[in-house]
C-alpha cells in the first residue's frame, strides 16, 4: 500500500493519472541531493534528540544502501523521488525506524533544498566552463593583436579593428555573464529546510546545523517564503538566457565569417558537418545549433516565469512543472559554453583575407574626417559632409579630390588650411587608423595587450573564487560524511 495515500485516500490513481502527476523522470537529477538532504536532516534530528541514536544509525545505513542501489531500485509508481525513497527506507528498516525520517519536515522544504543543491553544482560547473571559454578567447586574442580585420555596424564595413579587439569584446561580455551567475549562486545557496510545509515545525529543530552540513551559505528566514519561491531558478535561468544571447551572437559571427562571402575563418572539421547530397559542403552546424539552442533556453525561462506567475502562497504542485525546464536550460547552456570554447580554440584564422577585406568599403572614412578636423580646424560635421560627399563618388580620395569637394561645399581648399598628402595617406591606412586608437578599450595593439592582461588577471581572480566556492561545498560534504559516521 502506498505509504502516502493509505490514510486519507482510498482510490489509487490509474496509470494515466500517475504518469500525469509523476516527477520521477526529472527527479533523477535530485536523487543524490535528496540522499544528502535526508542525511543532514536525520543527523540534525538525532543531535536535537528528536530521534534516538539507534534509529538514526539504521536510517543512515539504509540511506547508504539506497544510494548504492541507485534510483532505478526505487518503486517508480510513487509520484516523486522523495516519497519513493522514504517508502524504500521503510521497506528496508521498518516503519518504526524509517517512518521517523520525515519528522519535522515536508516534501515542500525537502524538494526546494534538493533543487538548490543540484542547481548549485550546475552553477559551479558552468562557472568553471565559462572560465575556460573566457581563457580560450584571451589566449586566441594573444595571437591577433596585429591581425587587422573589418569591424562592422549594421553588418556593413564600418571601421578597421583587430581580431584581438573583437575577441576581447566577447570575453568582456562573458565576464559580466559569469559575474551575474555569481549573483544567482548567492541566491541559490540558501537553506529552506526547517520550513516544513510552510509554517515551520514545533519540533526543536536546528536549522543552522542543516545549513552547515549541506554547505548552504545561510538559511532562508521566512518559512513561507522558503517553500514558495522559485525566484532563484528564474534568476539562474535569466543568467543562462543572457549568457546564451552572448553565445548566440558569437555563433552568428562564426557562421558569417566562415561563408564564402566573408571568408575570414575556417572552423575545425570536428565542429563542422557536411551535406548528404553536396559533396563539397562544410557546414557550421555546431554554431547553428548553438544559435538555435538560445531559443530553447529562452523558452525554458519563459515557461518557468509563466508557471510561477500569480501562484498564491505557499507551495502549489505547479512548482513541480517548473523544475524540468531548469535542467533543460542548464544542460543546454553548459554544453553550448563547451562548444563555443572548442570552436574558438580550434578555428583557423585567414589573416590575409581579413586584411584584404579592410581595403573594401572605405572603412577609413571616419579617420579621414577626424584628420581633416585635427589639421584644418574645421568642425567635425563639416568634415563629415566633405568626406561623405567624396564617399558617394565611390572613390578613395586624394588630397586634390578633397580640395575639389571642399571648394564646392565651403569655398575653401583643405590643403590651404593645413591638410597634406601625407596626412591623407596616413588617414587612409587601416593599420595607422588602429595604431591611433590607443584610448582605454580601443583596438591599438598596445591597448588590447593591456586589456588582455587585465582581463587575464580578472579571470584568474574568478578562478580563485570558484575554487573557494567548491572548497566550501567540499568541506561541508566532508563534515556531513563525518557526522553520518559518528
Ligand atoms: N515532486 C514535488 C515537486 O517537485 C515535491 C513536492 C510535493 N509536495 C506536495 N505538497 N505535493 O514539487
Amino acid at each position: 500500500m502506498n505509504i502516502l495515500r493509505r490514510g486519507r485516500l482510498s482510490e489509487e490513481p490509474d496509470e494515466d493519472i500517475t504518469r500525469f502527476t509523476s516527477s520521477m523522470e526529472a527527479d533523477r537529477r535530485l536523487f543524490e541531493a535528496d540522499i544528502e538532504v535526508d542525511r543532514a536532516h536525520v543527523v540534525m534530528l538525532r543531535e536535537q534528540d528528536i530521534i534516538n541514536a539507534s534509529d538514526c544509525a539504521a536510517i543512515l545505513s539504509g540511506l547508504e544502501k539506497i544510494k548504492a542501489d541507485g534510483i532505478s531500485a526505487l518503486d517508480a509508481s510513487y509520484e516523486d523521488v522523495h516519497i519513493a525513497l522514504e517508502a524504500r527506507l521503510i521497506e528496508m528498516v521498518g516503519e518504526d525506524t524509517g517512518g521517523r525520517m520525515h519528522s519535522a519536515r515536508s516534501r515542500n522544504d525537502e524538494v526546494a533544498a534538493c533543487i538548490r543543491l543540484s542547481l548549485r553544482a550546475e552553477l559551479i560547473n558552468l562557472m568553471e566552463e565559462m572560465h575556460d571559454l573566457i581563457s580560450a578567447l584571451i589566449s586566441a586574442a594573444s595571437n591577433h593583436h596585429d591581425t587587422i580585420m573589418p569591424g562592422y555596424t549594421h553588418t556593413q564595413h564600418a571601421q578597421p579593428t583587430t581580431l584581438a579587439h573583437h575577441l576581447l569584446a566577447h570575453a568582456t561580455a562573458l565576464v559580466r555573464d559569469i559575474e551575474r551567475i555569481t549573483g544567482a549562486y548567492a541566491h541559490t545557496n540558501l537553506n529552506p529546510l526547517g520550513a516544513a510545509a510552510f509554517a515551520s515545525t514545533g519540533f526543536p529543530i536546528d536549522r543552522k546545523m542543516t545549513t552547515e552540513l549541506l554547505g548552504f551559505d545561510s538559511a532562508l528566514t521566512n518559512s513561507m517564503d522558503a517553500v514558495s519561491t522559485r525566484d532563484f531558478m528564474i534568476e539562474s535561468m535569466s543568467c543562462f538566457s543572457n549568457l546564451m544571447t552572448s553565445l548566440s551572437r558569437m555563433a552568428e559571427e562564426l557562421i558569417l565569417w566562415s561563408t564564402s562571402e566573408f571568408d575570414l575563418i575556417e572552423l575545425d572539421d570536428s565542429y563542422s558537418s557536411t551535406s548528404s547530397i553536396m559533396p563539397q559542403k562544410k557546414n557550421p552546424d555546431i554554431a547553428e545549433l548553438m544559435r538555435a539552442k538560445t531559443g530553447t533556453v529562452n523558452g525554458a525561462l519563459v515557461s518557468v516565469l509563466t508557471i510561477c506567475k500569480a501562484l498564491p502562497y505557499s507551495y502549489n504542485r505547479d512548482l513541480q512543472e517548473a523544475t524540468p525546464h531548469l535542467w533543460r536550460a542548464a544542460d543546454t547552456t553548459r554544453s553550448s559554453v563547451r562548444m563555443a570554447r572548442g570552436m574558438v580554440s580550434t578555428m583557423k584564422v585567414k589573416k590575409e583575407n581579413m586584411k584584404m577585406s579592410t581595403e573594401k568599403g572605405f572603412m577609413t572614412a571616419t579617420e579621414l574626417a577626424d584628420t581633416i578636423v585635427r589639421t584644418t580646424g574645421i568642425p567635425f560635421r563639416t568634415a563629415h559632409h566633405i568626406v561623405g560627399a567624396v564617399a558617394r563618388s565611390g572613390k578613395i580620395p586624394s588630397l586634390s579630390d578633397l580640395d575639389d569637394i571642399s571648394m564646392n561645399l565651403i569655398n575653401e581648399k583643405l590643403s590651404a588650411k593645413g591638410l597634406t598628402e601625407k596626412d591623407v595617406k596616413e588617414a587612409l591606412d587601416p593599420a595607422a587608423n588602429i595604431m591611433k586608437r590607443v584610448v582605454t578599450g580601443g583596438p591599438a595593439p598596445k591597448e588590447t595587450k593591456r586589456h588582455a592582461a587585465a582581463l587575464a588577471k580578472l579571470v584568474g581572480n574568478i578562478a580563485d573564487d570558484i575554487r573557494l566556492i567548491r572548497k566550501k561545498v567540499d568541506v561541508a560534504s566532508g563534515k556531513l560524511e563525518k557526522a553520518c559516521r559518528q
Side-chain angles (χ1 to χ4, degrees), residues 240-350:
F240 299 163
S241 276
N242 232 329
L243 163 58
M244 286 302 291
T245 302
S246 304
L247 296 183
S248 72
R249 299 183 71 181
M250 196 188 298
E252 173 72 4
E253 291 185 341
L254 296 177
I255 294 164
L256 282 176
W257 293 358
S258 22
T259 59
S260 307
E261 284 73 17
F262 281 76
D263 202 20
L264 302 178
I265 59 160
E266 183 178 348
L267 289 171
D268 190 72
D269 283 1
S270 50
Y271 291 95
S272 307
S273 300
T274 187
S275 158
S276 63
I277 175 171
M278 297 167 281
Q280 86 287 8
K281 292 290 302 254
K282 180 167 174 182
N283 297 326
D285 293 32
I286 313 299
E288 288 171 317
L289 284 165
M290 213 161 100
R291 187 172 60 180
K293 282 171 193 279
T294 307
T296 302
V297 172
N298 289 351
L301 168 63
V302 172
S303 296
V304 174
L305 283 168
T306 312
I307 289 165
C308 294
K309 176 194 166 292
L311 271 187
Y313 276 40
S314 59
Y315 179 86
N316 299 274
R317 191 65 176 269
D318 308 49
L319 293 178
Q320 170 178 300
E321 191 68 10
T323 318
H325 296 290
L326 172 66
W327 307 135
R328 190 171 319 119
D331 292 347
T332 308
T333 304
R334 284 187 54 198
S335 57
S336 299
V337 169
R338 295 193 298 271
M339 294 305 117
R341 179 198 176 189
M343 283 190 283
V344 165
S345 49
T346 57
M347 70 184 181
K348 201 177 109 207
V349 174
K350 299 184 175 176

Side-chain angles (χ1 to χ4, degrees), residues 320-458:
Q320 170 178 300
E321 191 68 10
T323 318
H325 296 290
L326 172 66
W327 307 135
R328 190 171 319 119
D331 292 347
T332 308
T333 304
R334 284 187 54 198
S335 57
S336 299
V337 169
R338 295 193 298 271
M339 294 305 117
R341 179 198 176 189
M343 283 190 283
V344 165
S345 49
T346 57
M347 70 184 181
K348 201 177 109 207
V349 174
K350 299 184 175 176
K351 276 185 169 192
E352 262 318 296
N353 291 0
M354 286 190 170
K355 186 158 189 291
M356 265 156 44
S357 188
T358 58
E359 308 291 338
K360 291 183 234 162
F362 195 6
M363 304 182 81
T364 51
T366 311
E367 181 53 32
L368 180 59
D370 290 350
T371 300
I372 292 170
V373 170
R374 288 194 294 265
T375 54
T376 68
I378 67 169
F380 174 76
R381 189 51 63 220
T382 312
H384 181 273
H385 189 177
I386 295 168
V387 177
V390 168
R392 191 194 290 216
S393 74
K395 176 169 171 228
I396 303 289
S398 63
L399 180 58
S400 75
D401 296 329
L402 289 163
D403 274 345
D404 289 349
I405 300 251
S406 75
M407 269 312 279
N408 259 341
L409 293 176
I410 58 169
N411 210 21
E412 267 181 298
K413 286 188 174 182
L414 296 175
S415 59
K417 296 178 74 64
L419 184 68
T420 67
E421 281 294 355
K422 186 172 162 276
D423 294 332
V424 174
K425 193 162 169 262
E426 192 178 306
L428 295 176
D429 175 7
N433 276 222
I434 289 166
M435 293 309 251
K436 283 205 176 79
R437 282 155 172 72
V438 285
V439 299
T440 306
K446 187 168 162 253
E447 175 53 20
T448 52
K449 282 177 192 161
R450 186 207 59 78
H451 186 208
L455 269 180
K457 190 158 170 246
L458 187 63

Side-chain angles (χ1 to χ4, degrees), residues 55-70:
D55 284 339
C56 175
I59 294 172
L60 289 176
S61 71
L63 287 173
E64 205 151 306
K65 170 99 177 49
I66 291 172
K67 185 176 176 182
D69 292 348

Side-chain angles (χ1 to χ4, degrees), residues 444-483:
K446 187 168 162 253
E447 175 53 20
T448 52
K449 282 177 192 161
R450 186 207 59 78
H451 186 208
L455 269 180
K457 190 158 170 246
L458 187 63
V459 166
N461 293 341
I462 290 173
D464 291 342
D465 291 346
I466 302 172
R467 260 193 296 277
L468 269 181
I469 288 174
R470 202 180 264 295
K471 186 155 172 232
K472 208 178 155 213
V473 169
D474 288 346
V475 166
S477 120
K479 242 189 229 168
L480 177 58
E481 204 59 50
K482 205 171 141 210

Side-chain angles (χ1 to χ4, degrees), residues 4 21-24 27 30 79-82 106-112 115 197 230 315-324:
L4 189 62
T21 321
S22 170
S23 61
M24 275 305 251
D27 286 353
L30 300 181
E79 61 188 48
D80 62 33
V81 70
H82 319 290
S106 146
R107 279 182 298 167
N108 298 351
D109 57 342
E110 182 182 0
V111 71
I115 297 170
R230 293 294 182 268
Y315 179 86
N316 299 274
R317 191 65 176 269
D318 308 49
L319 293 178
Q320 170 178 300
E321 191 68 10
T323 318

